[in-house]
Amino acid sequence: MAHRFPALIAAPAAAQERIWLTGARLFDGTGSPLRENTAILIEDGIIRRVADSGEPCPDGARPLDVGQRVLMPGLTDAHTHASGIVPQVAKGAEEPLPGVAAHFLQAELRDYLRFGVTTIRVCGSQGQMPQQARQAMRYGAFRGPRLLTCAKIISATAPGGRFYGDMYREADGPDDIRRAVREQIRAGADFVKVMTTGARSNELEDPEPLQLTEPELAAVTGEARRLGYRVAAHAEGLDGCAAAIRHGADTIEHGMYLHRRPDLLAAMAAAGQVLVPTLSGYYWMAGLGEEVIDPAHAETAPDMPPVLVELAQRNIEEGAASMRAARQAGVKIALGSDTILAVGLEIQRMVHHGLTPGEALVAATSTAAEALGLGEHIGTVTEGKLADLIIVDGDPLTEPRLLSDPGRIWLVLQLGVPVAGQLLANPALAGQLAWPDRPAGPKPADMAGWVQASRGHA
C-alpha cells in the first residue's frame, strides 16, 4: 500500500551506512517498561536488529554508545496545521513579499525535527503549501518531518469557508463531494479530511449541527474507501461525532463531548476508530500559551472574541473528560496538538488531564502511527521498521516535560540519518556520524532554530 502514501514516496534518502546504537534504555512505543542495555542495528534506514548491548558490534557497522540515554520512536503529531505563518509587520515596515510564507514553513518543519517529531499529519493548510514543502524535502532542499497532508478540507458551503480560505474545498451534493475527494487525491493527499460540523475557532459557526447530509457523508467515506484512502472527520458536536462514527471515519478529530455518549465510545472501540483529542488547540484559543494547568488557575492572554475564549475554556474540561472516558472504554487515542510545534506540550497536557506518561507516549508513537495508516512503517522500535528514532537526556516516563526542551533531545535519526539533536552541536562527537551527500541534514550551525507562535484550526 506504499503507493497510497505520497508521504512515503517523498521520503528523503536513507542512511547508506550501518549504525550500531548501543548502551540504550529502550522505550519501544508499545507501552512496555523500559528495556535496559539495548542495542539497535540500523542498515539502509531500517531497524535490522534489536539486541542486547553485550553483543559485539556487527562487522562493518559504525558504533555509537548512547550512554544509557532513553531511545524511543520518533514522535508523531497526528493533527497539526503547519502552514508557515508570517509574523505581522509593524506599520510602515516592508510588507512580506509573495512566497515568504514558504520560507517560514521550511523553518517550522526544520524545528519539528529539533523537538524529536519525525512525522506530522497536516489536517489543513493554505493551498498546496504542504505538498510544495514535501516535494522540496524529497529533492534535497532541506530536512523536515515526514509530512502527510489532506490537501484541502472537504466542507459543505458554510461560514468556515470565509474564515479559512484556500484551506477548504466546499462541496454540496454527493456528486460534488465525490469530485472533491478525487481532487484532493489528485493533488497529492495521503488521506481525506471532512468537516462533519463547523469549527469552534470562528464566531459564525455552531459546532453542534451536522453540516453534511447522510448521502453526502456516505459519498465522502465511500469514495475515499473505494480508492484506498483513510478519512479523518472534524467532529465537535455529538451529531457530527455520531455521523462520523456511523459512516466509518478512521479518526475522530476533537470529539470533545463524547464522554456524554458512552454508546458512541463503545462503537468506536468496537470498530477500532481512533480519537485525536487536540487539547492544545483549546489551550491556544483560551489564550493559555504554554500553560499546563487548568484554565481557572491561570492568567490568560487570548486574542479571540470572548465567546470563543469562553467556549475554549469549557472545551478544555470537556475534551479532557472525553479523553479519559475514551481510555476507559478502550478507544485508541492518538496525539494531535492542533497547533504548531506543541507535541511536548500536548504530552504534558494529556498527562495532566488523566493519562499516564506511558499512555501519552504511546499516543504520540505507535497509536499515532496506526491512526495515520503507517503502523507497519513507524511508531515502534521493531525490527523491519523505518529507523526514525530519538535519543533523549532523561526519562520521559518520569519527566515528560523534557520532550518540550530541544536541549534534552540528544539525537534525532530519520531513516538512520542524524538530522538534529545536541550531539550534532558538538563537532568532536558529531564526527562519529557520517552525513549523506544529498539531501543534507542540518549542520550544527543550523541547529539554533526558532519556535514560532502556535496557531491552529479547530
Side-chain angles (χ1 to χ4, degrees):
M1 293 291 288
H3 66 286
R4 298 295 187 187
F5 288 102
L8 290 178
I9 295 171
Q16 298 301 304
E17 66 172 353
R18 305 175 83 201
I19 301 174
W20 179 248
L21 301 172
T22 187
R25 305 178 68 209
L26 175 64
F27 176 79
D28 66 5
T30 68
S32 298
L34 288 180
R35 173 176 165 178
E36 304 290 341
N37 299 312
T38 306
I40 308 291
L41 175 63
I42 299 171
E43 184 178 39
D44 298 325
I46 304 294
I47 300 168
R48 294 299 183 194
R49 286 191 62 203
V50 179
D52 187 273
S53 288
E55 295 189 21
C57 179
D59 292 342
R62 183 187 294 267
L64 177 64
D65 188 340
V66 306
Q68 298 303 308
R69 293 177 174 87
V70 171
L71 182 150
M72 60 185 292
L75 302 173
T76 292
D77 192 335
H79 187 125
T80 187
H81 292 279
S83 55
I85 298 168
V86 180
Q88 185 174 0
V89 301
K91 186 176 292 187
E94 180 186 17
E95 289 293 323
L97 297 171
V100 167
H103 297 278
F104 279 90
L105 177 56
Q106 178 184 147
E108 181 183 311
L109 293 171
R110 286 180 181 271
D111 274 340
Y112 272 105
L113 293 182
R114 293 179 59 241
F115 284 90
V117 179
T118 54
T119 300
I120 62 174
R121 183 177 67 157
V122 179
C123 289
S125 187
Q126 294 299 314
Q128 290 195 322
M129 288 186 67
Q131 295 97 307
Q132 292 164 357
R134 184 170 67 191
Q135 191 175 82
M137 291 188 285
R138 175 184 188 178
Y139 295 131
F142 66 99
R143 281 269 183 174
R146 180 173 294 99
L147 190 159
L148 284 75
T149 177
C150 65
K152 296 183 181 181
I153 303 169
I154 296 173
S155 166
T157 299
R162 294 170 56 192
F163 287 85
Y164 308 117
D166 209 23
M167 186 186 291
Y168 278 20
R169 164 48 162 105
E170 293 180 309
D172 300 295
D175 287 343
D176 198 19
I177 291 282
R178 290 188 190 94
R179 182 176 180 86
V181 170
R182 295 171 186 174
E183 286 174 355
Q184 306 328 303
I185 293 169
R186 181 181 185 274
D190 299 277
F191 66 103
V192 172
K193 182 182 176 186
V194 60
M195 300 291 292
T196 67
T197 70
R200 67 199 177 286
S201 54
N202 75 77
E203 62 184 356
L204 295 186
E205 288 192 323
D206 183 346
E208 288 299 330
L210 182 61
Q211 278 200 342
L212 298 173
T213 65
E214 290 291 323
E216 288 171 332
L217 281 166
V220 173
T221 55
E223 193 67 7
R225 284 263 185 268
R226 187 181 69 81
L227 296 171
Y229 288 77
R230 298 171 73 84
V231 175
H234 171 109
E236 298 189 22
L238 288 171
D239 286 347
C241 290
I245 294 165
R246 184 169 62 252
H247 284 276
D250 297 281
T251 61
I252 306 301
E253 313 296 315
H254 317 302
M256 69 282 282
Y257 308 124
L258 278 167
H259 65 96
R260 303 180 187 179
R261 289 283 304 274
D263 60 312
L264 295 181
L265 291 171
M268 287 182 68
Q273 293 164 306
V274 181
L275 176 65
V276 186
T278 65
L279 299 179
S280 291
Y282 316 139
Y283 271 82
W284 167 69
M285 285 180 283
L288 289 168
E290 298 187 1
E291 295 283 359
V292 190
I293 61 177
D294 297 321
H297 303 115
E299 292 186 11
T300 63
D303 59 0
M304 301 190 82
V307 64
L308 297 181
V309 174
E310 181 181 350
L311 179 60
Q313 291 173 339
R314 178 164 66 90
N315 283 340
I316 291 174
E317 300 305 321
E318 297 275 4
S322 288
M323 181 183 70
R324 294 190 295 269
R327 179 188 61 179
Q328 187 69 25
V331 175
K332 298 173 183 178
I333 298 171
L335 181 144
S337 70
D338 202 15
T339 56
I340 296 168
L341 298 169
V343 170
L345 270 175
E346 183 71 11
I347 289 170
Q348 294 174 66
R349 287 162 175 164
M350 294 173 93
V351 172
H352 176 74
H353 288 288
L355 297 192
T356 68
E359 289 169 336
L361 291 177
V362 167
T365 53
S366 60
T367 308
E370 182 180 345
L372 273 55
L374 293 179
E376 66 180 293
H377 301 285
I378 59 171
T380 62
V381 183
T382 305
E383 293 176 359
K385 291 195 176 183
L386 303 180
D388 288 1
L389 304 169
I390 62 174
I391 302 169
V392 300
D393 281 313
D395 181 356
L397 289 170
T398 59
E399 191 186 3
R401 68 177 178 275
L402 73 84
L403 294 171
S404 289
D405 180 2
R408 306 284 294 278
I409 309 295
W410 190 70
L411 182 63
V412 180
L413 296 172
Q414 184 185 57
L415 291 172
V417 176
V419 293
Q422 293 304 303
L423 173 64
L424 303 186
N426 185 326
L429 295 176
Q432 300 179 55
L433 298 170
W435 295 90
D437 291 334
R438 289 300 269 174
K443 300 300 190 292
D446 297 324
M447 298 308 295
W450 49 269
V451 179
Q452 77 177 30
S454 296
R455 286 193 70 93
H457 162 269

